[in-house]
Amino acid sequence: MTNVAYMYAYGRLHLAKNDISWKAATTTIYMALYTSSKTPAQDTDETYSATNELSQANGYTTGGAQMTLYDPVIAGTAPNAYAKLYCADTTWATATFTGVRTVVMYNNTGSKYVIGYITYDADKAGQGGNFTVPCPTLGMFDL
């Protein structure tokens, strides 16, 4: 699967304002799956919406699955050092759903701010086994 994650502008803003916490102890960051009808608006999307999300069936629950986060780490050296955000792979077991084109990560509390998204080149399906969205080797996001 093509797996390049992009941050929403408002995701960066709400992380900076501490409205969202990306830490290992955080249990409120979720990953939701969407059909090809979802077109992420990187500069304007701010909150989670169930519009064009997969239906609750075939191993999928509306709202998605909770992500397992790792604490941010520093990468690079001064003056070009930056923070990297990592997570574990997120898996739906015995998934028979089809039509996954976009994955959205969001904070599933309060205002439900979106953080980032992945868009695949073609629809993906569960095939009756595990449907896994892997964390990119180089991290989900750089700050």
Side-chain angles (χ1 to χ4, degrees), residues 15-35:
L15 278 165
K17 291 172 57 178
N18 202 29
D19 296 332
I20 302 169
S21 177
W22 189 288
K23 295 179 69 171
T26 302
T27 60
T28 60
I29 306 299
Y30 275 61
M31 189 176 278
L33 306 178
Y34 291 82
T35 68

Side-chain angles (χ1 to χ4, degrees), residues 63-140:
Q66 181 179 325
M67 296 173 65
T68 299
L69 307 179
Y70 301 129
D71 286 337
V73 298
I74 298 296
T77 57
N80 299 312
Y82 55 97
K84 295 187 84 52
L85 303 181
Y86 287 94
C87 61
D89 297 349
T90 302
T91 300
W92 286 262
T94 61
T96 57
F97 50 76
T98 60
V100 178
R101 182 65 66 93
T102 300
V103 178
V104 173
M105 288 137 280
Y106 71 99
N107 184 23
N108 194 20
T109 60
S111 296
K112 297 192 175 191
Y113 295 122
V114 294
I115 301 167
Y117 65 93
I118 298 167
T119 300
Y120 299 119
D121 295 334
D123 287 354
K124 304 295 179 190
Q127 308 284 330
N130 287 344
F131 182 90
T132 301
V133 178
C135 183
T137 305
L138 298 175
M140 189 61 80

